[in-house]
Amino acid sequence: MPESHSQTSLLSRRKALAGLGLLALTGGLAGCGSSRDLPSRRYARSRSGSGNISLALLTDSSSMRRVGENIDWRVYHHEGAGGNHSYLVKQQSGANPRMRLPSGWYYVEAHHSRGVSTHTVEVMRNNSLDYYIVRD
């Protein structure tokens, strides 16, 4: 995890997430702040351990209603700012898939009837995170 993430308080994370299309819930909010750069390549792969994530697509951020259709989820290793995200790690269909992945940063694509919604997420060792991505 980048050093700035480990030093960020939960309250600061909540404020940083206020305007984003991504929410992650695990007893509180977690995720990347809007004023931070995306992680560099050194954080993208092979950090020790693994974690669990579940994914859901929301119709909008105010209602928190989930999209009920079958969604094609594609998870790529995050290659840092400007990366091409060409290394597909997992592909799964469903409204709310659960995945176990090695710790690190990932680029997620949700292919749905209105197009594709994307975001970068973090998988943390020995943690389970629920990520809610707002449909574009």
Side-chain angles (χ1 to χ4, degrees):
M1 175 163 43
E3 193 171 295
S4 61
H5 283 277
S6 64
Q7 296 173 352
T8 304
S9 70
L10 182 59
L11 180 59
S12 296
R13 287 184 184 183
R14 285 185 179 144
K15 289 178 182 177
L17 285 168
L20 294 179
L22 172 81
L23 300 173
L25 302 174
T26 178
L29 293 176
C32 59
S34 60
S35 64
R36 296 188 191 105
D37 290 333
L38 294 175
S40 67
R41 192 171 254 223
R42 67 187 174 128
Y43 295 111
R45 297 185 189 213
S46 303
R47 296 184 52 216
S48 63
S50 61
N52 296 303
I53 62 169
S54 68
L55 301 167
L57 188 66
L58 302 178
T59 58
D60 58 72
S61 60
S62 60
S63 69
M64 296 292 288
R65 284 184 305 166
R66 293 181 185 193
V67 173
E69 69 186 66
N70 195 26
I71 300 162
D72 180 30
W73 296 92
R74 298 177 190 172
V75 179
Y76 300 87
H77 273 293
H78 180 64
E79 297 295 333
N84 63 5
H85 312 296
S86 61
Y87 182 65
L88 182 66
V89 176
K90 266 199 186 196
Q91 185 170 356
Q92 195 168 335
S93 293
N96 188 224
R98 297 188 188 288
M99 302 175 188
R100 183 160 191 81
L101 297 166
S103 299
W105 289 90
Y106 296 90
Y107 180 77
V108 176
E109 293 180 346
H111 295 256
H112 49 85
S113 62
R114 292 189 181 178
V116 179
S117 299
T118 64
H119 209 76
T120 303
V121 300
E122 182 179 18
V123 175
M124 293 183 271
R125 183 177 65 129
N126 298 328
N127 279 297
S128 291
L129 293 172
D130 298 321
Y131 282 102
Y132 297 90
I133 300 172
V134 176
R135 182 172 59 193
D136 296 332

